[in-house]
Amino acid sequence: MDIAQIIVLIAILIIAAVLYRMRRQRHTVAREAYGQALADAVADGVLSEGEVEELSRIQQKGALSELDVRSAGLAIYRDALEDVASDARFTPEEDATLHRLQQQLGLSDADLAGDLMQLARLRMLARVELGHFTEVRSPIQLVPDEVCYWAVQSTLAERLAVRSSRQELQGATFNIADTEPFAVPGDCDELRPAEDILPSDLGVLVVTSRRTVFQGARRTVSVPHARLESVTMYDDGVRIDELKPPARRYLLTDDPELTAAILIQAARQRRHQIRAGATGRS
């Protein structure tokens, strides 16, 4: 191959690369335009016949495949799912909205296979808020009429009196005596990076109808719900504050939102039972 042929080959490769890049850019622009049009179409909860025709026109003009269309719909659905999950609450209206959105976007259950666990978790949070708990097998011995609601691996931690770092960690605090619904108002700090939070024991955290128990390799901590003053949720754990005698426990866990929600509702329900029993005796 002479120099002229090499130059021609290089020119052909350059032109091919430029054409490929232009084609990719046009495809990216077409996908973004379709995604925006689809988001606008379903924003009001109704997908009209005219909107369907316009979406079909954009798809054909941009030479978008069914995979492109499904990916755009899945992105919109996941954005909506992230929005409703942001405050750790899941109302029946939000559940109905997600179901309607799935139908409008033409997504099958198989398309949403990667989101089913999060959906199940959100629905569990909604049931807990209504006081409907799922009974699970308890890893600890229960007393008569005690039911286990939650069991999760956990690490008990102590907060040391380190003056240089003794700043208050930002968390969402819920008083058991109040009735405000469980919701996360904003970002919460992590416990693990704090130099004055020292993990001391690995074990299991159990929430029952009567108490919260940490059973570790070295120690067991049992807090009756009647003595629980408040629960503070952090990004990677919870803090439980006891009354009489006052005590504060830090517990690291992989799902602090669900742990806190179950713990708070179980404690409030137990308080209500105790008050109802006292009223009945009087």
Side-chain angles (χ1 to χ4, degrees), residues 11 19-20 25 38 72 76-77 91 103 138 142 144 153 156 186 189 191 215 251 266 278:
L19 291 175
Y20 175 77
Q25 289 177 340
L38 181 59
I76 292 172
Y77 181 89
T91 66
Q103 293 180 321
S138 175
L142 301 179
Q153 184 177 348
L156 182 67
D189 289 336
L191 294 172
Q215 182 168 287
L251 295 154

Side-chain angles (χ1 to χ4, degrees), residues 180-199:
E180 79 273 15
F182 178 79
V184 181
D187 293 335
C188 297
D189 289 336
E190 293 183 348
L191 294 172
R192 284 184 175 89
E195 63 179 16
D196 55 342
I197 298 294
L198 179 66

